[in-house]
Amino acid sequence: MARKMSIILVFLFLFTAVMTGCGGSSGEAGGKKVINVALWDENVKDTVNKSIELYKKKHPDVEVKVTYTPWADYWTKLKTSLAGNSGPDVFWMNGPNFYAYASKGWIKDLQPLIDESKLDTSVYTNALVNLYTYNDHLYGLPYFLDAVGLYYNKELFDKAGVSYPDGSWTWDTIEQNAAKLTDKQNGVYGYTALIDSQSGYYDLIHQAGGYIISEDKTKSGFDSPEALSAFQWEKKLMDQGYSPNAQQQLETKPLQLFGSGKAAMFPAISVSAPELYKLLGDKLGVAPLPAGKQKATIVHGLSWAMNEKTKHQQEAWDLIQVLSGKEGEQYLAESGFSIPAYKGTEEGWLKSIPSLDLKVFVDSLDFAVPYPVSERTAEWQDVETKELQDAYLGKKSFEEALKTIADKMNEILAEEKKD
């Protein structure tokens, strides 16, 4: 009897082990392989679903499960799961987190798969290919991008008798026309000198001929004369009353000021276009960012990354290729969500707001600068945010703030090289 019971227990153990091997932890269910996908924005749900249906035509044996986690929890959940050797097979990756995830071995080096598939990555916007390259290998396949443009209120321009901005405008042109567009009596500002990185001072520093981080990721550019000139230009516009000052921007979001007709010009990313159009309708216009010593716009965007520990590498890779492939990117463009990273698929996006010249953003990619990142971006950006807010609020000089940022950033970058 005891021998019979032992045989039964062994059988039950083996049966349980087999079933566990076919469960969620191994990425299989009901006889089908399961690919788990994670992202944070449900606005692309229909677009992603269309790509998945396209994928299933060649992979009927694969089930794709998509989880949308709010931004506030997304990175904590992803980091915890990947560090624990689990997590989704395919997921969204952004620039600020990319180097940390790549250096820790949490995301797969896609270069061998790219080479084996003979995938031509030149079809993607170069700034994003650079952004998601680590040790000369691509770790994320670009999906969509954001460029920065100068939104303006046509009604306020018409009222002031000022011609609409175009590609010939410079910092001087902005200042001259901001003076004409400012109506202090009615609380209207001519321009918005943003205390924001991607849509504000990052662009200005590059327009001044400077940089945020050197190409080899070893040196900060915050303590350069070019960087100082960018902040001095913004501060001058605030001091003249042509732009809301730092305190006002902290109390009321600049997008709300512009959307309510209280600012004539507002630099912002391309993905803001639908929201701003809802606020201003056909009064909304957009032009290229003005030039300083040169033209420049910061470009950021997302990529699809793969879990280093995925049990279904080929299936996950095939899915990424569909999501970021030509048809997948055309679905994205037609949704109007953002500019697809695949060159030549922008047409649907360009038509998403007929009265707005969205081609401005696509054309600006000719002078695009990748969003600045390193392995420990979050650490030096924390210092950057604190120091610059103090400087904008007049608690310290910009010279002092920029030196502190550069010193700490250089220290962090040096430590990165030792790791």
Side-chain angles (χ1 to χ4, degrees):
M1 180 69 180
R3 183 172 180 276
K4 184 176 181 180
M5 182 60 70
S6 296
I7 292 172
I8 292 172
L9 289 174
V10 169
F11 173 79
L12 287 173
F13 172 78
L14 292 173
F15 177 78
T16 302
V18 169
M19 291 307 293
T20 302
C22 294
S25 62
S26 72
E28 294 190 14
K32 282 190 172 185
K33 295 177 181 178
V34 176
I35 300 296
N36 288 294
V37 177
L39 57 156
W40 63 77
D41 197 328
E42 290 201 53
N43 288 316
V44 295
K45 190 172 186 177
D46 290 343
T47 300
V48 170
N49 286 344
K50 284 182 181 179
S51 292
I52 290 172
E53 289 306 311
L54 187 64
Y55 170 80
K56 285 182 177 178
K57 289 179 180 179
K58 292 185 178 180
H59 297 80
D61 59 330
V62 178
E63 181 180 352
V64 181
K65 293 183 178 179
V66 185
T67 301
Y68 294 87
T69 303
W71 170 265
D73 303 315
Y74 179 84
W75 294 106
T76 300
K77 185 177 178 181
L78 183 64
K79 181 179 180 180
T80 302
S81 63
L82 295 180
N85 295 323
S86 59
D89 300 280
V90 174
F91 47 89
W92 269 2
M93 178 52 56
N94 74 351
N97 288 288
F98 167 65
Y99 262 69
Y101 281 63
S103 64
K104 288 180 171 64
W106 292 343
I107 56 179
K108 188 168 290 292
D109 177 0
L110 298 182
Q111 199 62 49
L113 296 170
I114 290 169
D115 294 341
E116 184 181 340
S117 303
K118 294 182 170 56
L119 181 67
D120 180 12
T121 57
S122 70
V123 299
Y124 298 104
T125 301
N126 191 52
L128 287 192
V129 173
N130 289 339
L131 181 60
Y132 291 106
T133 294
Y134 178 74
N135 289 339
D136 297 324
H137 280 203
L138 196 59
Y139 278 67
L141 210 57
Y143 188 43
F144 68 81
L145 61 93
D146 291 319
V148 187
L150 180 66
Y151 293 95
Y152 60 93
N153 186 317
K154 294 178 182 178
E155 186 175 68
L156 293 178
F157 271 75
D158 293 342
K159 184 178 178 181
V162 177
S163 298
Y164 300 153
D166 58 31
S168 69
W169 278 38
T170 65
W171 289 9
D172 289 339
T173 322
I174 288 285
E175 187 174 350
Q176 292 162 10
N177 287 296
K180 300 173 186 176
L181 291 158
T182 297
D183 182 353
K184 294 182 180 181
Q185 187 174 347
N186 292 304
V188 176
Y189 297 95
Y191 181 74
T192 314
L194 287 177
I195 55 169
D196 176 78
S197 56
Q198 184 181 354
S199 296
Y201 55 82
Y202 279 3
D203 304 271
L204 295 173
I205 289 172
H206 280 277
Q207 289 165 14
Y211 59 88
I212 312 302
I213 186 171
S214 61
E215 288 188 16
D216 61 2
K217 315 292 185 186
T218 63
K219 188 177 187 305
S220 170
F222 273 103
D223 55 350
S224 68
E226 291 83 5
L228 179 60
S229 70
F231 291 103
Q232 289 175 331
W233 183 72
E234 280 203 310
K235 189 64 166 59
K236 180 169 66 170
L237 292 174
M238 293 180 188
D239 291 344
Q240 291 171 327
Y242 302 159
S243 166
N245 61 33
Q247 188 61 48
Q248 290 167 322
Q249 291 186 47
L250 291 172
E251 292 171 356
T252 306
K253 290 183 179 179
L255 186 145
Q256 294 175 349
L257 283 172
F258 178 71
S260 62
K262 293 299 182 181
M265 292 180 280
F266 175 62
I269 57 178
S270 49
V271 79
S272 298
E275 182 178 1
L276 293 175
Y277 183 73
K278 285 181 181 178
L279 294 170
L280 292 173
D282 291 346
K283 292 186 290 186
L284 182 67
V286 67
L289 287 179
K293 289 182 180 178
Q294 60 191 30
K295 288 180 176 290
T297 178
I298 295 292
V299 171
H300 180 249
L302 301 188
S303 70
W304 289 105
M306 188 192 304
N307 190 335
E308 171 63 30
K309 303 295 183 181
T310 182
K311 298 186 187 311
H312 301 302
Q313 176 178 290
Q314 190 58 51
E315 289 79 9
W317 172 234
D318 289 346
L319 177 59
I320 287 176
Q321 289 182 87
V322 172
L323 289 163
S324 284
K326 189 172 184 178
E327 287 184 81
E329 297 275 20
Q330 285 173 334
Y331 293 150
L332 178 68
E334 290 163 4
S335 74
F337 179 76
S338 193
I339 307 172
Y342 195 111
K343 298 173 188 175
T345 63
E346 310 92 354
E347 194 62 29
W349 184 76
L350 294 174
K351 294 177 179 178
S352 62
I353 306 177
S355 66
L356 204 58
D357 183 16
L358 294 174
K359 193 170 183 294
V360 161
F361 294 105
V362 177
D363 292 344
S364 72
L365 299 179
D366 290 340
F367 43 89
V369 178
Y371 188 91
V373 294
S374 74
E375 185 177 325
R376 290 159 60 183
T377 310
E379 290 183 41
W380 53 260
Q381 281 189 335
D382 284 344
V383 179
E384 169 194 323
T385 301
K386 179 184 181 301
E387 290 295 317
L388 288 177
Q389 182 167 306
D390 284 349
Y392 276 117
L393 292 172
K395 296 180 180 179
K396 61 177 57 176
S397 69
F398 276 107
E399 289 89 343
E400 182 183 356
L402 294 175
K403 185 179 187 306
T404 300
I405 296 167
D407 287 348
K408 184 59 180 177
M409 188 172 169
N410 285 332
E411 180 183 318
I412 293 170
L413 295 175
E415 290 172 358
E416 287 180 4
K417 290 298 179 184
K418 293 178 183 177
D419 294 341

